[in-house]
Amino acid sequence: MDEKKEKAGFICVKDTLDGAYPSLVLGINAARLGMESKIFYSFMGINLLLKGGAERAKFFPPGVMGAIPGVSTIATEIMKRKTAKANIPSLAELQEMAQLEGVELVACKMTVDMMEIKEDKLIDGVVVWTAEDFLKYAKECKICLFT
């Protein structure tokens, strides 16, 4: 009997550290569990798929602190030090790891068009899908999460 792989889909709409890590970690772990895994990047999340975009991701503390000028820069450095100390790969490293493990990184066509992004500005291996394309995939997913 030929069994089809279970599918997992994740949606990332934020280009912040706390917006980017969950979809990558979940996508990688889904692939490690033998699932077909895709991450759909839309709106601000698409910035993570631009060359150098993962390196520019910041952390904005919740509440009033996140609105104070300069706090996000300090908070970002603190978070990057904490992840490094915990032996957690950087976002760029996780993106590469995800692709090597078979996770497909998918850019939203509407967002690509809206932001006038040329496809050669995206990191290698990224595919561009319409929302309809992703929904057709998501309908077949055992797990589909908005991260």
Side-chain angles (χ1 to χ4, degrees), residues 93-134:
E93 291 167 333
L94 271 182
Q95 281 180 327
E96 184 179 352
M97 186 183 305
Q99 288 180 306
L100 289 171
E101 295 202 29
V103 178
E104 191 162 33
L105 306 181
V106 181
C108 171
K109 178 159 179 28
M110 181 188 74
T111 305
V112 167
D113 292 346
M114 178 182 69
M115 295 180 141
E116 300 177 347
I117 297 170
K118 303 281 186 228
E119 288 192 35
D120 66 340
K121 300 293 182 197
L122 299 171
I123 58 176
D124 293 338
V126 169
V127 297
V128 178
W129 279 9
T130 64
E132 181 181 358
D133 294 331
F134 182 75

Side-chain angles (χ1 to χ4, degrees), residues 53-119:
E55 290 88 350
R56 291 187 292 272
K58 290 187 172 256
F59 176 71
F60 294 90
V64 177
M65 291 301 291
I68 298 172
V71 170
S72 67
T73 301
I74 295 165
T76 299
E77 286 308 310
I78 291 169
M79 289 302 287
K80 286 184 176 182
R81 273 185 264 149
K82 284 181 176 260
T83 54
K85 184 178 178 184
N87 293 316
I88 298 169
S90 71
L91 285 178
E93 291 167 333
L94 271 182
Q95 281 180 327
E96 184 179 352
M97 186 183 305
Q99 288 180 306
L100 289 171
E101 295 202 29
V103 178
E104 191 162 33
L105 306 181
V106 181
C108 171
K109 178 159 179 28
M110 181 188 74
T111 305
V112 167
D113 292 346
M114 178 182 69
M115 295 180 141
E116 300 177 347
I117 297 170
K118 303 281 186 228
E119 288 192 35

Side-chain angles (χ1 to χ4, degrees), residues 28-41:
I28 289 167
N29 280 278
R32 288 178 179 171
L33 288 172
M35 301 178 85
E36 181 179 330
S37 181
K38 299 185 189 303
I39 304 171
F40 186 73
Y41 291 85

Side-chain angles (χ1 to χ4, degrees), residues 45-62:
I46 207 153
N47 290 326
L48 299 165
L49 296 182
L50 297 173
K51 292 176 182 166
E55 290 88 350
R56 291 187 292 272
K58 290 187 172 256
F59 176 71
F60 294 90

